[in-house]
Amino acid sequence: MLQKNILFLLLSICTVCIISCEPKEEPVIEVSEKWEIAGSFKEGLSHAKEINGALFASSRSGVYADAKTQGSASDFNDLSLFIQGEIPYRLPLSDKLMVAINTAEVSILPAGSTRQDDALVLNMREIDPEFTGFHFLHYYLCEQISINANGNILVPYRSAKDGIQKNTPDFLLLKTLVNDGKVTILEQKLIKEEHFLGIATIRIMKNFPDFTRVTIDGKTFDIDSEGNLELRFEKFSKSVQVGNEIITFAQLGPLDSNDFEVYKSDLSGENNELIGSYGSVEISTLDKFLLTQMADDIYSVDGVIILRHLDRIYRVTMNSQKIALIELENDGMGNGYITSVLQLDDETVFATTLCDRGEIISCGGFTKSIENFFKPKAIKPI
């Protein structure tokens, strides 16, 4: 009996040794693609746009034209001569013109030129004696000056009559032509309509191919190339182009608790169709808060609506029953304040950040493949 027990013990020890000596399979660790910094930018960027296949980006003091995401530094057009102090607005991006404003002047230059001799300088007090100041929006969060593909410029401003400030902001519309390196004004128009009983503020201003959409407090207007201002929604809203449609997110006011609504239209911005209403059951309080921030913060990447907020990027998922935001992985951005997200081609996404958020490893421009862009951010265990 003792011999049998000893034999069983020896066999058990050998079995344990054999099992422990077998090679173990290493767990597969999935490595996510990080955002890669574009070394051609040496400072924070307030936004970027692709125009006719070329990348344009702006910083606080100038514009990068035909910018590069890799390699040597991109060409920089310094507009600091035409700006007084640190500006509280985004410089507009165009392949035809560069525009900057100071206390009471609008300076217009041909794209790529920073020579004072090439600048056309307009004094707003001569254009409109009722001018009191430019209507700055929320620091870098949306357009402050609009330039469309035809070279039309739209500048919002404030005016007063007999010492009383006008309720609705005014707009200066300029039709321009660049000929032999000089800017010519073809037509000039002041848009001075009144739509509010009390002082109203521009919340969002965004340029589309055929019009500029302006949200002023709880109303949304479209301004066409002829300066016609048309009320589009009796609601606070923000819009984004997705393919051949414009998708608009709307509510009755920035602080209103009523249903959140989504509309679609063609690229004219007209004939809006309600495609969904979402209450507290269909959309969370946090997601509704993010979607109704007073900023032009939504974009389209590969046909998917993207939202940026502070140092985070979200994918907007939506159907007739529910709308939800999914946070995406953003490793590599260094905690920078994200200012724009755009698709460059079929393979690449480009994002810009400012350098204003404490301990930031890097800021400026970043690239990531579309293939890995939509990866949700991993939820870290508590």
Side-chain angles (χ1 to χ4, degrees):
M1 185 70 177
L2 179 60
Q3 289 179 338
K4 287 183 178 181
N5 288 339
I6 293 173
L7 180 60
F8 178 77
L9 179 61
L10 290 173
L11 288 172
S12 299
I13 293 172
C14 290
T15 301
V16 171
C17 290
I18 291 171
I19 292 173
S20 63
C21 292
E22 288 181 353
K24 294 182 179 179
E25 291 186 8
E26 294 294 330
V28 177
I29 301 176
E30 186 177 352
V31 179
S32 63
E33 177 189 355
K34 293 185 178 182
W35 285 89
E36 182 178 346
I37 189 165
S40 55
F41 303 98
K42 304 301 182 184
E43 59 188 327
L45 299 176
S46 59
H47 68 139
K49 182 186 296 185
E50 190 175 38
I51 305 172
N52 295 327
L55 177 63
F56 290 74
S58 76
S59 71
R60 290 181 166 175
S61 60
V63 172
Y64 293 89
D66 197 11
K68 311 300 179 186
T69 59
Q70 297 178 346
S72 59
S74 299
D75 292 337
F76 181 66
N77 302 306
D78 188 352
L79 295 176
S80 57
L81 286 174
F82 308 95
I83 303 168
Q84 292 182 351
E86 186 170 317
I87 61 173
Y89 62 89
R90 291 193 331 193
L91 288 166
L93 296 174
S94 166
D95 61 344
K96 297 179 174 60
L97 302 166
M98 297 191 299
V99 179
I101 55 181
N102 57 32
T103 305
E105 292 179 334
V106 180
S107 296
I108 310 171
L109 298 96
S113 174
T114 57
R115 289 167 22 97
Q116 285 184 296
D117 291 346
D118 292 337
L120 176 63
V121 181
L122 306 177
N123 188 312
M124 284 299 302
R125 293 191 175 93
E126 294 177 358
I127 294 174
D128 185 355
E130 298 176 343
F131 171 87
T132 59
F134 290 110
H135 187 68
F136 293 135
L137 310 182
H138 306 283
Y139 289 69
Y140 305 107
L141 296 183
C142 56
E143 299 281 359
Q144 328 292 300
I145 307 166
S146 169
I147 307 176
N148 72 8
N150 296 322
N152 295 345
I153 301 169
L154 189 68
V155 183
Y157 68 97
R158 288 287 192 186
S159 66
K161 188 171 184 178
D162 299 327
I164 300 175
Q165 182 172 290
K166 185 172 173 286
N167 294 331
T168 304
D170 294 333
F171 298 87
L172 168 65
L173 173 65
L174 299 169
K175 293 187 177 183
T176 67
L177 175 68
V178 178
N179 185 23
D180 196 23
K182 296 294 182 181
V183 179
T184 302
I185 303 298
L186 301 177
E187 186 179 339
Q188 175 179 299
K189 181 176 182 179
L190 299 181
I191 304 170
K192 297 177 69 69
E193 298 186 23
E194 188 66 282
H195 291 271
F196 294 87
L197 297 177
I199 301 298
T201 301
I202 294 177
R203 303 299 182 181
I204 301 173
M205 181 171 164
K206 185 170 186 173
N207 200 31
F208 288 93
D210 296 323
F211 64 93
T212 299
R213 180 158 288 179
V214 184
T215 298
I216 306 176
D217 283 351
K219 296 182 179 182
T220 300
F221 302 86
D222 288 351
I223 304 176
D224 66 18
S225 59
E226 300 302 316
N228 300 308
L229 188 149
E230 183 175 350
L231 179 64
R232 189 65 64 212
F233 296 99
E234 287 270 7
K235 300 176 177 70
F236 171 88
S237 73
K238 63 175 67 175
S239 303
V240 61
Q241 181 177 337
V242 183
N244 292 321
E245 293 182 329
I246 293 175
I247 304 298
T248 298
F249 299 86
Q251 63 177 142
L252 295 182
L255 301 178
D256 200 285
S257 60
N258 288 325
D259 284 351
F260 179 81
E261 299 172 330
V262 182
Y263 296 82
K264 71 174 181 179
S265 75
D266 59 23
L267 295 183
S268 71
E270 302 175 1
N271 305 314
N272 283 273
E273 174 188 348
L274 178 66
I275 58 175
S277 294
Y278 305 91
S280 58
V281 175
E282 295 86 12
I283 181 171
S284 71
T285 301
L286 175 59
D287 288 354
K288 182 177 179 181
F289 167 78
L290 292 172
L291 277 166
T292 54
Q293 289 292 288
M294 291 179 286
D296 174 25
D297 52 9
I298 54 176
Y299 309 87
S300 174
V301 173
D302 206 26
V304 176
I305 297 174
I306 298 298
L307 181 142
R308 62 167 174 85
H309 180 69
L310 301 179
D311 60 348
R312 300 180 181 186
I313 301 174
Y314 299 86
R315 173 178 181 166
V316 181
T317 63
M318 181 172 56
N319 57 34
S320 59
Q321 286 80 38
K322 190 175 180 61
I323 186 167
L325 273 60
I326 300 172
E327 186 175 353
L328 303 182
E329 192 64 69
N330 65 344
D331 285 352
M333 282 190 168
N335 198 38
Y337 187 107
I338 300 169
T339 52
S340 66
V341 180
L342 69 150
Q343 180 177 345
L344 291 184
D345 48 42
D346 292 337
E347 300 178 352
T348 310
V349 181
F350 181 74
T352 59
T353 68
L354 288 176
C355 309
D356 294 339
R357 292 180 55 79
E359 295 182 4
I360 297 176
I361 299 171
S362 55
C363 61
F366 297 84
T367 59
K368 194 174 188 178
S369 70
I370 288 181
E371 180 183 3
N372 292 297
F373 171 72
F374 294 105
K375 181 179 179 182
K377 189 167 187 175
I379 300 176
K380 296 181 180 179
I382 299 176

